[in-house]
Amino acid sequence: LVCSAGGVGADAALIAALPSLRVISSFGVGLDKIDLAAAARRGIAVGYTPDVLNDCVADLAMALTLDIARRTPEADRHVRAGRWGAPGAPAFPLGRRVSGARLGLVGYGRIGQTIARRAAGFDMAIRYHARRPVEGSAHAHEPSLTALADWADVLVVITAGGAGTRHLIDAAVLDALGPEGFLVNVARGSVIDEAALVRALVERRIAGAGLDVFEHEPRVPPELLALDNVVLLPHIASATRETRQAMAQRVLDNLSAFFAGRPMPSAAPLP
């Protein structure tokens, strides 16, 4: 057996090097670093940990939305540096209201729909972009990603990683989001063309970004470190005691079920 994690995975070389491998149980919801095709060819079962992290990832997406729009980390630095009320210091700049804003979701799976429920509590207008409309959704499906970005005040990325979504958020999407729009990424760093994002932020062609993930983790582009209109987090969307415990338990539950000859509670969809 192999126990792995979403950021580590199990590639074809590892699978080939383990001729007796029967099951992979991954600590995470991302499957982009597991070679599912190689596992399927060998009849290897793959388990992962969806659902148990939906709430915490959605919570962090909303936290980043509030942080970049209301400029809370920047305001914290302003106070700590002694600039509040200091003689000659300018007043802290205005932020952007989140309540009633337009939220565009790139991806509308379990976590995307959980974010939508959070956003509804802020009276946000919500639309989403996905490969196909979700039946029964109260929110509008937007087939064009650039049209969604053009409409949105905040664009939240929560689609799966992998080759199919690499650089889905490119310069054209960022230009459509525009100088009043904010970008939040709680998906995978590979989904965004990071070089294009850096240029857009440095040139203020978008208003700001809240980033929990990066294209070459743990490396963060140095240009971002100097910007006040960016909130940078070390990939912590699921990092609460409660959720990490639930994820660990799901890893064990998947393995227990497999070795008992039962279906795994969270079996990955194999090609």
Side-chain angles (χ1 to χ4, degrees), residues 1-135:
L1 70 90
V2 166
C3 283
S4 189
V8 178
D11 61 15
L14 175 63
I15 292 171
L18 300 170
S20 299
L21 181 61
R22 298 171 56 201
V23 60
I24 299 168
S25 191
S26 181
F27 182 89
V29 71
L31 296 168
D32 48 301
K33 294 195 175 182
I34 299 176
D35 195 321
L36 297 176
R41 286 193 297 269
R42 290 262 305 276
I44 297 167
V46 178
Y48 67 139
T49 64
D51 296 319
V52 296
L53 46 64
N54 297 354
D55 286 329
C56 280
V57 177
D59 289 351
L60 194 78
M62 292 306 300
L64 283 170
T65 297
L66 289 163
D67 279 343
I68 59 171
R70 295 301 308 272
R71 311 175 76 149
T72 52
E74 185 183 352
D76 176 83
R77 293 191 293 271
H78 180 84
V79 173
R80 291 175 187 274
R83 294 193 295 271
W84 187 24
F92 187 77
L94 299 177
R96 202 263 186 233
R97 188 174 72 173
V98 172
S99 296
R102 297 186 297 269
L103 176 72
L105 291 165
V106 183
Y108 198 62
R110 300 176 181 91
I111 300 174
Q113 293 174 47
T114 306
I115 294 171
R117 290 197 295 273
R118 302 286 191 277
F122 284 85
D123 298 320
M124 301 181 84
I126 302 163
R127 296 181 185 176
Y128 69 93
H129 173 77
R131 285 176 292 181
R132 61 186 66 87
V134 175
E135 186 176 351

